[in-house]
Amino acid sequence: VDLIASVPTRAAEALFWAGRAMERAELVARSLEVVLDRTDAAFDADVAESWVGPAVDLVMSVAGVRLADLSEGADRPSISVASAIDALVRQLGSFLAEVSSVREFFSVTAGRAFARLAESRSGLGALVEQGVHDATVDVGRLDIGRVDGRQLETVLVDLASVVGLWNESVVRGPAWRFGEIGRRIERALGVVDGVRGAFRPFADTAPVWLTEPRVAGMDDSDQRIDFARQRVVEIVLAANESLVAYRRRFRSDVEFEPAMRLVVAERLNPRSAAAAVEAVRTEAANLGWQQGVEMATGVLDTLAVASFADVASTAAALNAVWTGCDEMSRAVVGEYLSAPLDPRMLGGS
């Protein structure tokens, strides 16, 4: 067996899910870090500005907490922060568990980064008094002031180090490609979750001011609304590490349409959903997985003609991305990662 050009199904599955957990952990950590920094942890509904609510909803969506699970009068800020930290701890745990089973694919330096992530996971876990159970929001109250942004920054730096080592130190064989497909699918899903959380395109409860078009000749009230809308868009851009890219390209106040196009459909933006799907298509072609190539191409074709003029049209594009990525994930698991009775080698032989 050619051990360079092939990989056992066990290892392929572990690397696929390690890639997904690694990417989701980064998405949760960055979203939480951005929102805590922008709001200065001032979440109290009596004093917080109108854009803080959608920012908190973005964190909850990326962390996987459904708005419908919130009880009446729930302390949404504490729940969102506690749930995000709990989700980050769980994703880091999943990532570390998967990579520990395929340690032979990573360098000694990567092992040191894994150890630092394990320490961060332990420290963050101590902040949450009671975990989230069964996808509900049964979580203890969390003193948001106890959350140290430096802990989140450390996680982001260590995850970036792992990604760098993943890209620069692992041979581009089937093992790397399965991990990359998982990572990129999760990135596209994370973009969708963030935008959906902030703008709630499928919910009747979305704030009206978020969906109203910008008008010329605005009075003071309209200007305040427009400022709040811009803040939400900025947070979506920053959570997807695309705010600097937007500023360099447009050099103007942030607008909904170009911002959503940049994070969802711009293939030249490496943090966008489209760039992630394109990467999946490339690796599917390298694996000889024709079904994956066709599915990714279908998503990219939809995004190429998608409109982002308003929240409703953006919702259609997001739905296409989410559905396509979910189908690709299920297809790659069914095609390659469902272990047969006798383990087989994937790739060369």
Short mmCIF file of all heavy atoms in Angstrom, two decimals, residues 1 3 24 79 95 101 125 148 157 196 257 311:
data_model
loop_
_atom_site.label_atom_id
_atom_site.label_comp_id
_atom_site.label_asym_id
_atom_site.label_seq_id
_atom_site.Cartn_x
_atom_site.Cartn_y
_atom_site.Cartn_z
N VAL A 1 0.85 -1.19 0.00
CA VAL A 1 0.00 0.00 0.00
C VAL A 1 0.88 1.24 0.00
O VAL A 1 1.85 1.33 0.76
CB VAL A 1 -0.92 0.00 1.24
CG1 VAL A 1 -1.69 1.31 1.32
CG2 VAL A 1 -1.87 -1.18 1.20
N LEU A 3 1.45 4.48 1.32
CA LEU A 3 0.97 5.23 2.48
C LEU A 3 1.00 6.74 2.28
O LEU A 3 0.48 7.48 3.11
CB LEU A 3 1.80 4.85 3.71
CG LEU A 3 1.62 3.40 4.19
CD1 LEU A 3 2.51 3.13 5.39
CD2 LEU A 3 0.17 3.12 4.54
N ARG A 24 -15.26 25.42 13.19
CA ARG A 24 -16.37 25.93 14.00
C ARG A 24 -15.85 26.57 15.28
O ARG A 24 -16.37 27.59 15.73
CB ARG A 24 -17.35 24.80 14.33
CG ARG A 24 -18.55 25.23 15.17
CD ARG A 24 -19.40 26.30 14.50
NE ARG A 24 -20.02 25.86 13.27
CZ ARG A 24 -21.03 26.48 12.68
NH1 ARG A 24 -21.57 27.57 13.22
NH2 ARG A 24 -21.51 26.04 11.54
N ILE A 79 -26.90 34.08 28.63
CA ILE A 79 -27.08 32.80 27.96
C ILE A 79 -26.23 32.71 26.71
O ILE A 79 -25.59 31.69 26.44
CB ILE A 79 -28.57 32.58 27.62
CG1 ILE A 79 -29.36 32.34 28.90
CG2 ILE A 79 -28.74 31.41 26.66
CD1 ILE A 79 -30.85 32.29 28.69
N PHE A 95 -12.23 18.52 18.41
CA PHE A 95 -11.04 18.65 17.56
C PHE A 95 -9.86 17.89 18.15
O PHE A 95 -9.19 17.11 17.45
CB PHE A 95 -10.70 20.13 17.38
CG PHE A 95 -9.36 20.37 16.75
CD1 PHE A 95 -9.13 20.02 15.43
CD2 PHE A 95 -8.32 20.91 17.49
CE1 PHE A 95 -7.89 20.23 14.85
CE2 PHE A 95 -7.08 21.13 16.92
CZ PHE A 95 -6.87 20.79 15.60
N SER A 101 -6.29 10.82 17.46
CA SER A 101 -6.36 9.49 16.84
C SER A 101 -5.61 9.42 15.51
O SER A 101 -5.44 8.33 14.96
CB SER A 101 -7.83 9.10 16.62
OG SER A 101 -8.43 9.91 15.63
N GLY A 125 -13.56 26.29 30.07
CA GLY A 125 -14.59 25.45 30.65
C GLY A 125 -14.89 25.81 32.09
O GLY A 125 -16.03 25.67 32.56
N ASP A 148 -12.33 36.92 29.82
CA ASP A 148 -11.12 37.65 29.43
C ASP A 148 -10.91 37.48 27.92
O ASP A 148 -10.71 36.37 27.43
CB ASP A 148 -9.91 37.10 30.19
CG ASP A 148 -8.66 37.94 29.97
OD1 ASP A 148 -8.67 38.81 29.08
OD2 ASP A 148 -7.66 37.72 30.69
N VAL A 157 -5.19 32.57 17.98
CA VAL A 157 -3.79 32.49 17.54
C VAL A 157 -3.35 31.04 17.40
O VAL A 157 -2.71 30.65 16.41
CB VAL A 157 -2.88 33.27 18.50
CG1 VAL A 157 -1.41 32.98 18.19
CG2 VAL A 157 -3.15 34.76 18.41
N ARG A 196 -27.54 34.71 9.17
CA ARG A 196 -28.90 34.39 9.60
C ARG A 196 -29.15 34.87 11.04
O ARG A 196 -30.23 35.37 11.36
CB ARG A 196 -29.12 32.88 9.53
CG ARG A 196 -29.41 32.35 8.12
CD ARG A 196 -29.60 30.84 8.18
NE ARG A 196 -30.08 30.31 6.92
CZ ARG A 196 -30.29 29.02 6.68
NH1 ARG A 196 -30.04 28.14 7.63
NH2 ARG A 196 -30.74 28.61 5.51
N GLU A 257 -25.69 45.45 0.88
CA GLU A 257 -25.53 44.64 -0.34
C GLU A 257 -24.08 44.27 -0.63
O GLU A 257 -23.75 43.08 -0.78
CB GLU A 257 -26.17 45.36 -1.53
CG GLU A 257 -26.33 44.49 -2.78
CD GLU A 257 -25.07 44.41 -3.62
OE1 GLU A 257 -24.22 45.32 -3.51
OE2 GLU A 257 -24.92 43.42 -4.37
N VAL A 311 -32.75 41.71 2.53
CA VAL A 311 -32.65 40.53 3.38
C VAL A 311 -33.35 39.33 2.75
O VAL A 311 -32.87 38.20 2.86
CB VAL A 311 -33.24 40.84 4.77
CG1 VAL A 311 -33.31 39.58 5.64
CG2 VAL A 311 -32.40 41.90 5.48
#
